[in-house]
Amino acid sequence: MINKYLGVNKQKLGFVFMLLFLVLMILPAQTQFGQLNMNSYPENTLLLSSISSTTSTSTSILSTTRTSSLQESTSEWLASSEVKADTPVKQTKTVYLTFDDGPSKLTGKVLDILQDSNVKATFFVLGEHVTRYPELISRLHEEGHAIGNHTYNHNYDELYKGFSPFWDQIKQTEAEIQRIIGVPTSLVRAPGGTAGHFDNTYFSLMKQAGYHVIDWNVDSGDSKRKNVPAQDIIRQATENITGDQVIVLMHDGGGHEETIKALPSIISKYRAQGYNFDILTPEQQPIQFKVTQSAKSLKRVQPSQEWIATHIVPNAGIFTQSKDLILQVGGMETKFQSSEYQIVDGKIMVPVRATMERLGGRVKWDQQHKLAVIEMNSVLVQIDMITGNWINTRMGKQEQSKIITVTMKAGVMWAPIRELLQFTGHPTQSIHTNDTERMIKTY
């Protein structure tokens, strides 16, 4: 009986001891893996090395298998995170169409094409042509194109014999531009480009004076010889373009009829390549050619320190004081860049037609009676250019009548913004000015 009992219990005891042994073997591995799984962030992967080496062979195999899987998962997580962090933000592809040597009789055709294509461009104009075609400068400005200074007469012999003659032509053209649109421009392009013409003195003094000298990185080739065919211009302006920021050199001066023919195709081809169109501004990093050895070796008369102090140093202030003008009118907001308005005798003057069209109004010109007629919502404003008298009517009933000074510059009417808003039914609520902008809010 006893022997039988002991035999049966030996079997049971052996089975129990075997179960206890297996439990003791498995528990440490499970505990260690559980700890790893609860803290499975990249920085805790070092815990993998802390697994006890004193565990049995079976425990090590189990741990190694599981931790190896965890290491692979963590490595994949780290790798995908690094790829995302290092992926560069894709830049917008932008092309800047630029036209030199105008305005001319061809400029109007260029503007028509740009308007039909909803494209803005930058025009580097010659002072002597500005004087001849002031109405085209006004149109450039009103239609939102950028205007740059291309000196007065494009004469290389005068411009590059020394900095002072170059400066004189820049200032002469600047005065002509400002006379028409009311503001100067800080954008400058040297005739023929700066390569071989600008030395360090030219670059340094122009920068000190607040100007932004801009060359190009794509040449359409339309000025390499007379009558370059349109197909050649298209090819040179659009083929093998890889950069995200492209400045294309073209010309709208006399004799460039083929450029006019090429322009629609040039616009289409850049659009097809995913480019946006924009105007050059002083805020951009300019593209400039390097100073050549031939330019360095030219023996030019250098301006004196006294001349620099008198002409260069004060000039920068012309551009640093510019501020944008923000109008908040009837739930709408529009912004005028500093070049789009002017301050005369303490009054903010704006172009009447451009301002009213931005605010949803319409302007008609009665040539026979010299009257400007503004329609905005239910308000009608008549401005008599001869007498300066403004008459405001609403629903056929006269509300206001007042003499207010307006000016005409190259066919563009300029008026004080506060009175313009008041007479169209939006009296001023507040005016705020900070370092970068002026803001006018209306009722």
Side-chain angles (χ1 to χ4, degrees), residues 130-132 134 174-183 409-410:
V130 171
T131 305
R132 193 176 305 162
E174 181 180 289
E176 289 298 309
I177 294 171
Q178 187 166 2
R179 178 180 61 83
I180 297 168
I181 66 173
V183 289
K409 293 185 177 181

Side-chain angles (χ1 to χ4, degrees), residues 5-20:
Y5 176 81
L6 288 173
V8 171
N9 281 279
K10 281 181 181 180
Q11 291 177 356
K12 290 182 178 179
L13 287 172
F15 181 75
V16 170
F17 282 129
M18 180 64 69
L19 286 175
L20 288 172

Side-chain angles (χ1 to χ4, degrees), residues 329 356 359 374-377 379-381 390 392 394 400 417-427:
V329 179
M356 298 317 301
L359 298 176
I374 302 172
E375 298 178 12
M376 188 171 183
N377 300 326
V379 178
L380 190 71
V381 180
W390 292 38
N392 163 302
R394 187 189 297 268
Q400 301 177 71
I417 184 62
R418 294 185 68 171
E419 285 80 355
L420 188 60
L421 294 174
Q422 180 180 349
F423 267 72
T424 52
H426 299 283

Side-chain angles (χ1 to χ4, degrees), residues 120-135:
K120 304 300 181 187
T122 304
F123 291 78
F124 290 95
V125 299
L126 293 171
E128 62 181 4
H129 294 167
V130 171
T131 305
R132 193 176 305 162
Y133 300 102
E135 72 284 353

Side-chain angles (χ1 to χ4, degrees), residues 110-368:
V110 173
L111 292 175
D112 291 341
I113 294 170
L114 295 176
Q115 191 172 50
D116 291 342
S117 304
N118 194 27
V119 167
K120 304 300 181 187
T122 304
F123 291 78
F124 290 95
V125 299
L126 293 171
E128 62 181 4
H129 294 167
V130 171
T131 305
R132 193 176 305 162
Y133 300 102
E135 72 284 353
L136 288 173
I137 298 300
S138 295
R139 183 180 172 188
L140 285 170
H141 183 61
E142 284 196 331
E143 294 183 2
H145 302 288
I147 298 174
N149 192 325
H150 199 44
T151 73
Y152 194 82
N153 65 13
H154 209 280
N155 188 312
Y156 288 16
D157 292 337
E158 291 181 29
L159 294 168
Y160 301 125
K161 66 182 180 183
F163 182 78
S164 295
F166 183 89
W167 174 264
D168 289 341
Q169 287 208 25
I170 290 294
K171 297 304 291 183
Q172 190 177 4
T173 299
E174 181 180 289
E176 289 298 309
I177 294 171
Q178 187 166 2
R179 178 180 61 83
I180 297 168
I181 66 173
V183 289
T185 176
S186 65
L187 303 179
V188 171
R189 175 169 285 167
T194 61
H197 298 134
F198 266 36
D199 56 21
N200 291 323
T201 297
Y202 277 71
F203 274 120
S204 176
L205 293 183
M206 289 297 286
K207 185 176 181 178
Q208 287 182 53
Y211 293 107
H212 300 266
V213 178
I214 301 173
D215 286 307
W216 57 87
N217 54 12
V218 173
D219 186 351
S220 70
D222 66 347
S223 64
K224 289 185 176 179
R225 64 182 188 277
K226 270 192 172 185
N227 301 318
V228 178
Q231 288 304 315
D232 290 353
I233 296 171
I234 295 168
R235 184 179 66 256
Q236 293 184 73
T238 61
E239 287 189 354
N240 302 317
I241 306 299
T242 57
D244 288 331
Q245 305 295 307
V246 177
I247 299 178
V248 183
L249 171 66
M250 292 182 284
H251 295 79
D252 64 323
H256 286 281
E257 288 81 3
E258 291 297 304
T259 301
I260 311 302
K261 295 179 185 177
L263 184 55
S265 295
I266 290 172
I267 292 172
S268 297
K269 286 181 177 293
Y270 272 103
R271 280 210 167 113
Q273 294 182 58
Y275 281 88
N276 296 318
F277 295 84
D278 208 345
I279 60 173
L280 295 171
T281 68
E283 289 72 33
Q284 295 167 266
Q285 185 67 29
I287 289 176
Q288 295 177 341
F289 301 139
K290 293 182 179 179
V291 176
T292 64
Q293 193 59 44
S294 60
K296 290 180 182 178
S297 64
L298 293 173
K299 296 181 179 179
R300 292 166 166 165
V301 177
Q302 299 297 313
S304 67
Q305 291 301 313
E306 182 181 358
W307 186 92
I308 292 173
T310 303
H311 293 79
I312 301 298
V313 176
N315 197 83
I318 295 174
F319 307 108
T320 57
Q321 296 175 1
S322 60
K323 299 178 181 180
D324 291 338
L325 173 64
I326 311 296
L327 300 182
Q328 292 185 352
V329 179
M332 295 178 58
E333 180 174 299
T334 186
K335 181 172 74 172
F336 289 80
Q337 294 182 347
S338 58
S339 61
E340 296 180 295
Y341 73 96
Q342 52 189 292
I343 298 178
V344 180
D345 297 329
K347 287 183 175 290
I348 299 175
M349 305 289 286
V350 294
V352 174
R353 183 183 296 277
T355 303
M356 298 317 301
E357 288 180 351
R358 288 192 189 189
L359 298 176
R362 293 191 305 167
V363 179
K364 297 179 181 178
W365 175 246
D366 184 341
Q367 178 65 30
Q368 182 180 354

